[in-house]
Amino acid sequence: DLLLQYVDQRIQFYSKQSPEKIQEIRNNTDRLQIALWNEILPTVKAQSTPAMALVASGMNDVINAQGYVQAAWWNRIPFTAWALMAAIAICANLLVGFGARNFEKNVGLFMIFPFVISVSFFLISDIDSPRGGVIRIEARNLVALKNNLTQQMEKAHPSVGIK
């Protein structure tokens, strides 16, 4: 049950939420991580077997994965990189403009380059903010995991009725 709650929190983390809701999700995630550790820790300490070492290692991997995702979301494209990309785009467009001899005949051709630069900037900025914008990151792996866990629990405990 704790693992299903944890997976639910991780799935919600990827959806578009208000900053307050994201903080609530982070707090719930932290609380569930502690509860998951507290659930396995007594058994792992009591039974020092290779199987229990794998259980502890697996739980550690679950928590590390969340930390890696969080670090990736915090490490965004720095302002200096944006400034450098903008400078390159401006210089490239100026060079194309200065090199335009037959602008009247090839207006469409000269509009392609600025359009491609604009679309590139849009896509880079959209990917850099995965909760907002057009491109959405879906937690398909987590949804599949939740479905799998739910099926496993229903098979193990058919009378419980997991939602």
Side-chain angles (χ1 to χ4, degrees), residues 14 22 63 149:
Y14 285 95
I22 293 299
I63 292 171
L149 287 173

Side-chain angles (χ1 to χ4, degrees), residues 82-149:
W82 281 111
L84 180 63
M85 288 190 308
I88 290 170
I90 289 169
C91 289
N93 280 300
L94 286 174
L95 287 173
V96 168
F98 285 133
R101 303 248 192 289
N102 297 325
F103 183 74
E104 291 82 24
K105 292 180 183 177
N106 298 318
V107 172
L109 186 62
F110 289 106
M111 291 294 128
I112 291 174
F113 187 68
F115 177 74
V116 168
I117 295 289
S118 299
V119 168
S120 299
F121 269 45
F122 169 75
L123 290 175
I124 290 168
S125 67
D126 202 50
I127 289 170
D128 194 44
S129 58
R131 245 187 237 109
V134 176
I135 300 171
R136 300 270 189 224
I137 294 179
E138 295 178 28
R140 289 185 192 144
N141 58 338
L142 293 174
V143 171
L145 174 64
K146 179 183 176 186
N147 292 338
N148 191 334
L149 287 173

Side-chain angles (χ1 to χ4, degrees), residues 4-105:
L4 278 174
Q5 290 177 38
Y6 182 78
V7 171
D8 279 337
Q9 290 300 306
R10 299 307 305 143
I11 291 169
Q12 287 181 22
F13 178 79
Y14 285 95
S15 62
K16 187 172 184 172
Q17 304 283 349
S18 67
E20 297 82 23
K21 181 69 175 172
I22 293 299
Q23 188 58 46
E24 179 184 332
I25 290 169
R26 285 186 183 138
N27 293 340
N28 289 341
T29 299
D30 291 344
R31 180 185 52 79
L32 286 166
Q33 285 176 348
I34 291 167
L36 285 165
W37 266 118
N38 289 338
E39 187 72 26
I40 68 161
L41 204 54
T43 309
V44 169
K45 284 182 177 180
Q47 301 175 17
S48 297
T49 64
M52 285 298 119
L54 285 174
V55 169
S57 176
M59 185 57 63
N60 194 48
D61 288 345
V62 166
I63 292 171
N64 282 345
Q66 183 269 335
Y68 297 146
V69 168
Q70 187 62 56
W73 284 47
W74 283 336
N75 294 323
R76 309 294 282 283
I77 297 174
F79 176 76
T80 52
W82 281 111
L84 180 63
M85 288 190 308
I88 290 170
I90 289 169
C91 289
N93 280 300
L94 286 174
L95 287 173
V96 168
F98 285 133
R101 303 248 192 289
N102 297 325
F103 183 74
E104 291 82 24
K105 292 180 183 177

